[in-house]
Amino acid sequence: MEVILIVEDEPLIARRLQRMVGDLVSEDTKVLTKSTIDAALHYIDEHPIDLMLLDLNLNGKNGFDILQQSVAGSFHTIIISAYQERAIQAFEFGVLDFIGKPFKQDRLEKALNRFRECQSDQTDNYLVKLLAVKKNSRIKLIEIKDIRYIKGCGIYSELFIDQAQNELHDKTLNKLETILPDHFLRIHKSYIVNIKMVKHLESHGSGKYNLTMNNDDVLPISRNRYKDIKSILN
Amino acid sequence: MEAEGNIIFFLSVLFTSTLFSLALFFGYKKVAYLLFSLYCVTHSIKLLVKLESVASILPFDMATHKTTVYYVIVIMGMLCLNAFLLYQYEFTHKRRYLAGFLSVAVVFFFTIFEGFFLYASIISAFYINVVAITRKKDGAWISLIGLVGLGVCTYLAGEGILTFGYFVGIMFFIFCMIWALSRQLFLQNKAHQEALTKSARLENELLKKNIQPHFIMNSLTSVQELLRDDPEQASEFIHSLAEEFEVFARISGDKLIAFEDEKKLIQSHLKIMEFRKGMRFTFTTEGMDGNELIPPGIFHTLVENGLTHGYSGRYEGTFKLSKHPNGKKVTYEFFNDSQCVESSGMIKKGTGIKYIEARLEESFPGGWNINSGPVDNGWHTSIEIWDQNGKPWK
């Protein structure tokens, strides 16, 4: 069952979101609302969610602290905010979409459609600059330009970073693919690479293809993706 | 008879300075400028009587009465100089000082040489100037340099080293004074411009409160929702919004408003927030009669700050404002019962408090104080205002 969590402190607006989102999803999707970030985080600790609709200005708290916690999670985040000027900043953190208040049904629909598509058209994603990872109870921000490649590890993704140690991120490769910019390619079921750090492509015959990174790490390319990757790299 | 050419030269400088000073007096209405022109006038007279053409038309014989005439003119001149400095540097008890000066001058007139009196009065002027420097008055250093020049040149004249030395000294002093005056005018003008800019900026900030995204966008979204299920409530909500807008628009240009208007602002705002937060708010005042003159938006800002932090999960909120006059001071105590134990750097100076401080400084420069902090069951702010002129507060 899919779970969408709305975090909004004003009851009238929360009611509106609950109703409109409810109208846009099937009965299999659970939509619930929490009015504080603490209550939301508490809920997430116990129950997995797929999408969070978050207001940046909750009871006077700093929206970006909250945002970092949210984007470090295994779920996608859509921001719903009165402050339009922070949209670009939010996108740099890797949110899926940013909706301004007041909002219309069709705008919400567009955002939810984006959430549905696992491998969406990524042309809007050039803004993402940071990925948030959880370290103990703190959030660390990684610049994506430093990420060489990402390896899927079950429900996590391992980030291989240039000149730094590896980090674990809570989102799956599928989810990451949705928010990362064009120069991050899914080359394999278990790998996403940063094209900018690729040294060369190799073919070893009988359907075995490899990519060598600029630090000489060698990664496999899946057979069905080989042709596309080759043309993109050239 | 002294060289007429030199006399004409000095006369023309003094004449120009007199006119210049008179023009400043008529323009800026400062008594100091009038006294300065009188200083120039008395010395012009001193020069005029040296001219053969003028001396001949006088009702008395210049030759025999020369010393007396000069002495009288010097007394007038020095009186003007000391008076000018007292007024320019805003001393208190000016008249007492001048009365004393004049009495001493009269005594000297009958007992001591003009020369001694001259030095004594320059020293007196020197003393006034030095005190002005200690009080950090604009341009005091420059006029001091002028006086030093005046003293030195007078001395040189006395020793016979510098002919017309006394008048050269006066020229130098006039030059310095004009320099000091223009500096003073420049600084005053700059301060005035800065004050205008600050006021404009504050007015702007006040107006922007209306359209802060968190206020207006969230309010409009709430209205959208109310329109669906409860149009009556929506109508009430919009009415309160309109009330708040109306007051803001009306008072935006004022530096001080009647508390009655501020109260309207607060009440409308709280009504709006009641709808938005689904809570009940009460606002009570104590000791306020509604006519108190206060800068616009300061209590409204305190209400906004109170609402932003610390009412999550609550159903009711209380806001209280009380007035405590105390002789020359008045203290406004503002309290709201928010829980503010949140650690996210809440107890820091927000832009709200900065606005309040700027407004207080605008209308009561140097005569206010603000203290804000958590108390047992909420948050407390006290604003003290006192009248710098020492008048008791109503």
Side-chain angles (χ1 to χ4, degrees):
Chain A
M1 181 173 69
E2 200 175 60
V3 179
I4 299 181
L5 179 63
I6 299 170
V7 191
E8 167 61 62
D9 64 325
E10 295 202 16
L12 282 171
I13 302 176
R15 195 173 89 189
R16 188 171 182 74
L17 279 169
Q18 174 92 31
R19 187 169 39 78
M20 282 171 128
V21 172
D23 289 345
L24 287 168
V25 297
S26 68
E27 265 144 39
D28 294 332
T29 309
K30 181 173 171 189
V31 181
L32 61 144
T33 311
K34 294 286 173 196
S35 63
T36 66
I37 189 62
D38 290 335
L41 292 174
H42 192 73
Y43 183 85
I44 293 166
D45 280 342
E46 319 260 311
H47 315 83
I49 67 167
D50 298 283
L51 175 67
M52 183 186 276
L53 263 55
L54 177 65
D55 180 359
L56 283 180
N57 202 284
L58 292 168
N59 264 313
K61 287 200 163 175
N62 179 2
F64 279 82
D65 289 343
I66 303 170
L67 182 57
Q68 284 176 39
Q69 298 208 352
S70 177
V71 294
S74 57
F75 46 86
H76 275 311
T77 305
I78 293 177
I79 300 293
I80 309 205
S81 173
Y83 290 92
Q84 299 268 18
E85 63 193 31
R86 298 172 117 191
I88 297 201
Q89 251 188 308
F91 276 118
E92 290 180 5
F93 279 77
V95 304
L96 193 62
D97 208 342
F98 187 107
I99 301 175
K101 286 179 184 168
F103 46 84
K104 284 172 140 180
Q105 185 97 6
D106 55 10
R107 184 64 183 87
L108 265 181
E109 191 170 8
K110 191 166 152 202
L112 287 175
N113 286 341
R114 216 152 164 225
F115 163 64
R116 294 265 172 268
E117 296 157 14
C118 256
Q119 290 183 300
S120 60
D121 168 12
Q122 294 184 27
T123 49
D124 295 309
N125 293 330
Y126 60 91
L127 291 171
V128 177
K129 289 204 173 108
L130 304 157
L131 280 184
V133 299
K134 289 183 197 149
K135 296 207 77 149
N136 307 316
S137 50
R138 277 178 44 248
I139 306 284
K140 185 176 167 187
L141 294 170
I142 312 283
E143 292 197 52
I144 65 161
K145 68 174 177 36
D146 297 331
I147 299 176
R148 186 169 286 111
Y149 61 92
I150 308 172
K151 181 177 177 186
C153 304
I155 56 170
Y156 298 105
S157 300
E158 194 175 356
L159 311 177
F160 287 77
I161 304 164
D162 185 28
Q163 291 175 342
Q165 57 181 131
N166 299 351
E167 302 284 359
L168 282 181
H169 184 79
D170 284 358
K171 289 192 179 66
T172 58
L173 282 189
N174 283 351
K175 287 223 171 78
L176 279 176
E177 229 187 320
T178 335
I179 57 173
L180 286 170
D182 288 357
H183 61 272
F184 281 84
L185 270 189
R186 184 82 175 264
I187 62 170
H188 187 273
K189 183 175 77 183
S190 307
Y191 290 97
I192 292 177
V193 298
N194 182 351
I195 299 180
K196 295 184 180 175
M197 294 203 189
V198 169
K199 213 193 307 192
H200 57 247
L201 187 70
E202 293 156 1
S203 165
H204 294 288
S206 59
K208 284 192 87 178
Y209 306 102
N210 288 333
L211 209 57
T212 307
M213 305 305 292
N214 59 6
N215 68 338
D216 293 329
D217 280 357
V218 179
L219 307 173
I221 302 177
S222 62
R223 202 174 310 185
N224 46 350
R225 296 178 216 250
Y226 175 69
K227 271 219 182 77
D228 292 331
I229 292 165
K230 187 159 184 211
S231 54
I232 291 172
L233 286 175
N234 298 334
Chain B
M1 200 205 75
E2 276 98 315
E4 273 215 13
N6 288 337
I7 294 177
I8 306 287
F9 165 70
F10 288 121
L11 264 176
S12 41
V13 175
L14 283 169
F15 189 59
T16 317
S17 307
T18 310
L19 285 179
F20 177 65
S21 212
L22 270 178
L24 281 177
F25 170 66
F26 287 123
Y28 287 90
K29 313 256 188 294
K30 284 182 75 174
V31 175
Y33 301 144
L34 182 65
L35 289 166
F36 191 70
S37 57
L38 285 176
Y39 173 73
C40 297
V41 164
T42 51
H43 284 87
S44 310
I45 296 174
K46 188 163 189 237
L47 278 171
L48 278 170
V49 298
K50 288 189 205 275
L51 289 173
E52 188 65 42
S53 32
V54 175
S56 53
I57 60 166
L58 288 171
F60 49 83
D61 179 21
M62 255 311 280
T64 38
H65 295 97
K66 198 159 78 157
T67 340
T68 319
V69 172
Y70 282 174
Y71 208 144
V72 170
I73 294 176
V74 165
I75 288 178
M76 307 290 287
M78 283 298 127
L79 187 69
C80 287
L81 175 63
N82 279 270
F84 161 69
L85 288 169
L86 287 169
Y87 274 85
Q88 171 72 350
Y89 296 122
E90 290 161 346
F91 277 62
T92 44
H93 313 304
K94 299 180 271 280
R95 283 176 217 183
R96 263 183 249 177
Y97 191 98
L98 289 172
F101 183 88
L102 193 56
S103 346
V104 170
V106 169
V107 169
F108 272 39
F109 178 71
F110 289 110
T111 53
I112 301 189
F113 287 123
E114 178 199 324
F116 272 119
F117 170 72
L118 197 54
Y119 283 120
S121 37
I122 291 178
I123 288 169
S124 161
F126 210 83
Y127 161 74
I128 296 172
N129 208 136
V130 167
V131 172
I133 289 179
T134 57
R135 290 183 194 171
K136 301 209 193 322
K137 295 286 181 181
D138 278 335
W141 270 111
I142 303 172
S143 64
L144 188 73
I145 292 171
L147 282 175
V148 167
L150 179 63
V152 166
C153 291
T154 309
Y155 171 75
L156 291 175
E159 296 298 300
I161 299 170
L162 189 62
T163 37
F164 279 111
Y166 180 57
F167 287 94
V168 170
I170 292 179
M171 299 294 109
F172 180 71
F173 179 71
I174 290 176
F175 165 72
C176 287
M177 276 327 297
I178 291 178
W179 176 15
L181 243 56
S182 61
R183 218 189 106 78
Q184 191 184 49
L185 287 172
F186 164 71
L187 288 170
Q188 272 173 10
N189 201 25
K190 188 162 162 232
H192 184 68
Q193 288 301 339
E194 273 168 18
L196 282 178
T197 312
K198 267 199 195 127
S199 290
R201 229 179 260 145
L202 284 172
E203 182 181 336
N204 195 294
E205 255 186 81
L206 183 64
L207 282 171
K208 274 168 69 174
K209 272 170 180 277
N210 264 345
I211 54 172
Q212 286 307 313
H214 192 245
F215 177 69
I216 191 70
M217 299 306 184
N218 278 358
S219 293
L220 291 174
T221 314
S222 301
V223 171
Q224 278 182 319
E225 186 61 14
L226 280 174
L227 279 169
R228 255 187 77 99
D229 296 326
D230 201 334
E232 288 294 316
Q233 296 265 293
S235 181
E236 281 294 317
F237 189 102
I238 292 172
H239 190 81
S240 294
L241 263 183
E243 264 179 359
E244 199 168 341
F245 287 162
E246 187 273 327
V247 180
F248 266 121
R250 190 161 37 87
I251 62 162
S252 66
D254 299 335
K255 290 192 190 156
L256 288 171
I257 61 169
F259 174 69
E260 224 175 274
D261 282 328
E262 186 81 7
K263 187 170 172 184
K264 252 191 228 143
L265 272 181
I266 293 172
Q267 285 168 334
S268 318
H269 193 82
L270 285 174
K271 243 190 250 154
I272 293 167
M273 294 315 283
E274 278 186 344
F275 278 111
R276 279 178 47 185
K277 290 199 182 252
M279 288 172 64
R280 284 239 78 82
F281 292 114
T282 43
F283 174 59
T284 53
T285 62
E286 194 186 296
M288 312 282 299
D289 63 35
N291 297 320
E292 291 82 1
L293 286 176
I294 44 156
I298 58 174
F299 297 121
H300 182 269
T301 302
L302 291 177
V303 169
E304 276 179 323
N305 278 4
L307 284 167
T308 323
H309 308 111
Y311 281 106
S312 61
R314 298 264 301 268
Y315 297 105
E316 287 179 332
T318 312
F319 294 81
K320 287 194 194 133
L321 176 64
S322 55
K323 171 177 156 191
H324 305 271
N326 181 8
K328 299 192 186 128
K329 274 203 315 196
V330 66
T331 309
Y332 294 105
E333 311 262 352
F334 184 89
F335 166 81
N336 72 296
D337 61 351
S338 61
Q339 341 116 265
C340 27
V341 246
E342 290 150 23
S343 53
S344 56
M346 226 208 67
I347 308 178
K348 58 178 177 178
K349 238 187 204 180
T351 42
I353 295 287
K354 285 208 202 115
Y355 170 82
I356 297 175
E357 290 179 344
R359 277 292 189 186
L360 288 169
E361 184 62 24
E362 181 192 34
S363 294
F364 311 106
W368 58 271
N369 193 20
I370 182 168
N371 271 311
S372 197
V375 288
D376 251 341
N377 45 347
W379 192 268
H380 178 263
T381 308
S382 74
I383 297 178
E384 278 181 327
I385 305 174
W386 57 91
D387 192 327
Q388 289 287 54
N389 296 326
K391 292 191 288 247
W393 207 269
K394 291 184 292 296

